[in-house]
Amino acid sequence: AGKVEFRDVRFEYKDGTAALQNISFTAKPGETIALVGPTGAGKTTIINLIGRFFEIKSGQILIDNEDIREVDKNSLRSQLGIVLQDAHLFTGTIRENIRYGRLDATDEEVEAAALQANADSFIAKLPHGYDTELTAEGGNVSHGQRQLITIARAILGDPALLILDEATSSVDTLAELQIQEAMKKLLKGRTSFVIAHRLSTIRHANQILFIKDGQIAERGNHEELLARR
Ligand code: ADP
Ligand code: ADP
């Protein structure tokens, strides 16, 4: 499972803005699709359409050959992992924040997800650092750690499909490597649509869709796109 197909999709916002037109592509099960392109190009709109957060004007979106308009929104979204930039962490331990990915997960499952995402070493910390009970564990989490927590949360949810807006905030080299490793585990085996900011993600993507003015201006994998320069 996990094939996603856009057939000549057109989308307009309520104000008539033609945000997307002539969008056609097929993501095979397990592929990573990197969406790149300037701000306002339509990348966020594309990933929102996959979760049916908006209705398209014309064309078709199919998941495993089924038109998503025919699928119940809740069951559509229950198979979809959504990872947004700098996701919100709430009060409570990192463990609880990760568990939010699947509320019925056992402690062992939460810990396994944390380990996969390189977030195990700080799992007992409090993200906001203002609880005095756990001061021995340390306070705030860094930007990089926040990203690892978000990734752990998504790994725990174990979705077949992923829509992901990679964080833009820069982190140190060690954190960068840990995030790349965690991302690799998250993306593996899942059909993923990533608004990509990391070069490593773009390099490893099966397809890169370069979005410009609401259309696919160029496509291919990293090598193909470089060869055309
Ligand atoms: P990107 O993610 O590539 O930066 P978006 O998908 O967010 O681009 O936006 C694509 C276009 O749609 C832009 O012109 C943007 O201004 C417009 N747009 C985005 N959201 C809305 C909205 N809610 N209502 C009207 N226009 C919108
Ligand atoms: P290469 O074989 O080209 O040297 P690697 O496979 O060793 O590349 O990966 C380089 C970095 O990119 C590693 O840190 C790896 O974890 C990360 N990486 C691998 N696959 C992906 C992916 N699909 N998305 C994001 N990062 C990835």
Side-chain angles (χ1 to χ4, degrees):
K3 177 176 159 197
V4 178
E5 207 178 340
F6 273 52
R7 289 187 187 157
D8 203 12
V9 167
R10 179 182 176 86
F11 174 77
E12 292 170 11
Y13 281 104
K14 283 201 185 71
D15 61 6
T17 318
L20 296 172
Q21 49 190 325
N22 308 117
I23 302 289
S24 296
F25 61 80
T26 302
K28 295 194 199 111
E31 280 193 336
T32 299
I33 312 296
L35 300 168
V36 299
T39 307
K43 305 180 296 296
T44 309
T45 307
I46 291 178
I47 63 171
N48 278 323
L49 290 179
I50 297 167
R52 240 182 106 198
F53 296 103
F54 302 122
E55 301 296 331
I56 59 176
K57 185 86 179 170
S58 62
Q60 240 186 338
I61 301 173
L62 303 111
I63 296 181
D64 295 328
N65 302 316
E66 193 175 13
D67 191 312
I68 60 168
R69 280 170 292 206
E70 252 116 79
V71 184
D72 169 63
K73 269 189 202 166
N74 288 328
S75 63
L76 173 71
R77 289 175 195 167
S78 69
Q79 55 171 316
L80 191 65
I82 303 171
V83 181
L84 299 176
Q85 265 200 50
D86 293 317
H88 179 68
L89 299 183
F90 48 82
T91 317
T93 60
I94 306 295
R95 187 190 306 275
E96 287 156 17
N97 273 275
I98 294 173
R99 189 189 302 281
Y100 192 68
R102 188 159 58 82
L103 293 172
D104 66 357
T106 63
D107 286 348
E108 288 73 23
E109 288 170 325
V110 173
E111 265 147 43
L115 188 65
Q116 291 258 303
N118 289 317
D120 53 309
S121 64
F122 52 92
I123 193 168
K125 272 194 184 181
L126 293 158
H128 299 287
Y130 46 61
D131 190 303
T132 49
E133 282 181 84
L134 277 175
T135 41
E137 294 283 347
N140 286 303
V141 294
S142 68
H143 260 301
Q145 288 176 328
R146 183 178 294 260
Q147 292 175 30
L148 297 178
I149 294 161
T150 312
I151 293 170
R153 188 187 275 172
I155 288 175
L156 183 65
D158 194 22
L161 297 176
L162 263 176
I163 57 179
L164 210 143
D165 190 353
E166 256 183 338
T168 44
S169 49
S170 57
V171 295
D172 60 62
T173 312
L174 179 63
E176 185 62 39
L177 286 174
Q178 290 188 333
I179 293 164
Q180 282 180 23
E181 248 181 56
M183 278 289 291
K184 185 177 179 178
K185 288 179 191 153
L186 174 61
L187 298 179
K188 192 174 164 101
R190 315 178 202 281
T191 312
S192 308
F193 294 85
V194 189
I195 298 178
H197 298 293
R198 293 176 194 286
L199 186 59
S200 61
T201 307
I202 294 170
R203 276 189 36 235
H204 286 90
N206 301 95
Q207 302 182 46
I208 301 164
L209 303 179
F210 181 69
I211 312 297
K212 201 177 161 220
D213 300 328
Q215 289 182 280
I216 300 176
E218 242 187 302
R219 69 176 85 205
N221 63 29
H222 189 239
E223 276 148 38
E224 289 162 354
L225 292 185
L226 280 181
R228 271 182 236 145
R229 297 276 144 191

